[in-house]
């Protein structure tokens, strides 16, 4: 969550990687993430410039650049984000870049879960859960489980959503929750408390708070 410091370091890395095309694309793409999460107004121009530089090449670095460019506008332009993430997934599949398939897929389905058919989003999440479980990357898995808690509410799985909320708030294995993610989770909690009532909501949260990663994943899969 130290977004200014992260952006400053990536900015230095961009300068240090001039003349090294692949490395420069990688660090310039990653720089977009803290800028986007912080709502920095420069991120739009930087993203467009990077994508112009990438052009139509089909490489793992291009797939990653499209992912970061999509992720960077998630809080400001969901349709643009969805378009860029779809391109990232297409390039990732073409170049066998499984990391980008996973992260771009998780971001895109989080948009679909809010704006699209929740049943389709549930199917996509089940596939992505298994993707990250095979990879053994728990920080990204936990981040995705936060979005799944929101989807479960849309599917009227209200108690299951509260259990999963309790799990993601209690784990020390995922990324620290901050910014827009914090606001989304807080708003979800308020709605779930209203729908379940204080006693049932707190009981579900306590049930989730003792789940480890494997148990939280199994709960999500059973609920979707």
């Amino acid at each position: 969550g130290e977004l200014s410091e992260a952006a400053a370091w990536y900015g230095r890395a961009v300068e240090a990687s001039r003349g090294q095309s692949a490395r420069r694309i990688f660090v310039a793409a990653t720089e977009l993430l803290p800028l986007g999460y912080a709502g920095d107004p420069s991120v739009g121009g930087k993203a467009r410039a990077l994508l112009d530089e990438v052009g139509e090449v089909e490489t793992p670095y291009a797939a990653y650049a499209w992912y970061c460019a999509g992720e960077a506008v998630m809080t400001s332009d969901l349709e643009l984000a969805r378009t860029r993430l779809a391109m990232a997934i297409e390039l990732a599949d073409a170049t066998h870049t499984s990391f980008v398939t996973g992260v771009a897929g998780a971001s895109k389905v989080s948009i679909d879960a809010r704006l699209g058919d929740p049943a389709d989003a549930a199917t996509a999440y089940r596939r992505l859960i298994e993707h990250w479980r095979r990879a053994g990357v728990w920080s990204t898995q936990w981040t995705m489980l936060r979005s799944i808690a929101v989807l479960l509410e849309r599917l009227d799985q209200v108690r299951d959503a509260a259990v999963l909320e309790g799990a993601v708030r209690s784990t020390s294995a995922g990324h620290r929750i901050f910014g827009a993610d914090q606001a989304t989770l807080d708003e979800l909690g308020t709605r779930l408390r209203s729908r379940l009532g204080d006693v049932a909501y707190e009981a579900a949260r306590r049930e989730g708070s003792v789940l480890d990663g494997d148990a939280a994943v199994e709960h999500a899969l059973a609920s979707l």
Side-chain angles (χ1 to χ4, degrees):
E2 301 294 340
L3 301 176
S4 296
E5 185 174 357
W9 278 107
Y10 280 118
R12 295 186 189 104
V14 170
E15 292 300 319
S17 61
R18 291 194 180 280
Q20 306 172 62
S21 178
R23 181 175 295 179
R24 206 198 79 78
I25 288 173
F26 179 81
V27 294
T30 312
E31 181 190 24
L32 299 176
L33 300 180
L35 292 174
Y37 297 151
D40 190 298
S42 71
V43 74
K46 285 179 177 287
R48 288 190 295 273
L50 179 64
L51 294 179
D52 286 344
E53 180 181 343
V54 168
E56 297 182 1
V57 298
E58 295 187 2
T59 67
Y61 294 103
Y64 182 70
W66 279 95
Y67 156 66
C68 291
E71 182 76 8
V73 296
M74 286 278 285
T75 59
S76 60
D77 192 332
L78 284 179
E79 286 302 332
L80 179 59
R82 180 190 267 172
T83 298
R84 289 175 174 176
L85 293 166
M87 176 61 75
I89 294 167
E90 181 179 326
L91 289 171
D93 290 346
T95 58
H96 308 290
T97 311
S98 61
F99 173 74
V100 175
T101 297
V103 290
S107 291
K108 183 177 180 296
V109 75
S110 74
I111 299 174
D112 296 338
R114 282 177 276 175
L115 303 180
D117 186 328
D120 290 344
T123 298
Y125 270 130
R126 285 193 289 268
R127 184 175 65 253
L128 285 163
I129 285 172
E130 295 298 347
H131 175 93
W132 287 117
R133 182 148 62 174
R134 289 192 301 272
V137 181
W138 280 100
S139 59
T140 308
Q141 184 84 282
W142 278 110
T143 299
M144 193 169 67
L145 289 173
R146 300 173 199 167
S147 297
I148 292 173
V150 176
L151 176 63
L152 290 178
E153 184 201 16
R154 279 198 72 196
L155 293 168
D156 284 329
Q157 301 285 97
V158 182
R159 189 178 189 282
D160 290 328
V163 171
L164 195 55
E165 184 203 351
V168 300
R169 286 190 184 275
S170 300
T171 183
S172 60
H175 297 301
R176 185 171 70 83
I177 305 171
F178 66 92
D181 281 353
Q182 179 73 59
T184 297
L185 206 56
D186 289 347
E187 291 164 5
L188 173 67
T190 298
R191 294 194 302 271
L192 295 177
R193 182 185 293 275
S194 176
R195 295 182 68 178
L196 287 169
D198 289 343
V199 173
Y201 173 70
E202 291 297 341
R205 281 274 302 270
R206 286 194 299 273
E207 181 179 327
S209 69
V210 300
L211 299 182
D212 63 9
D214 286 325
V217 162
E218 289 302 328
H219 173 79
L221 287 171
S223 303
L224 286 170

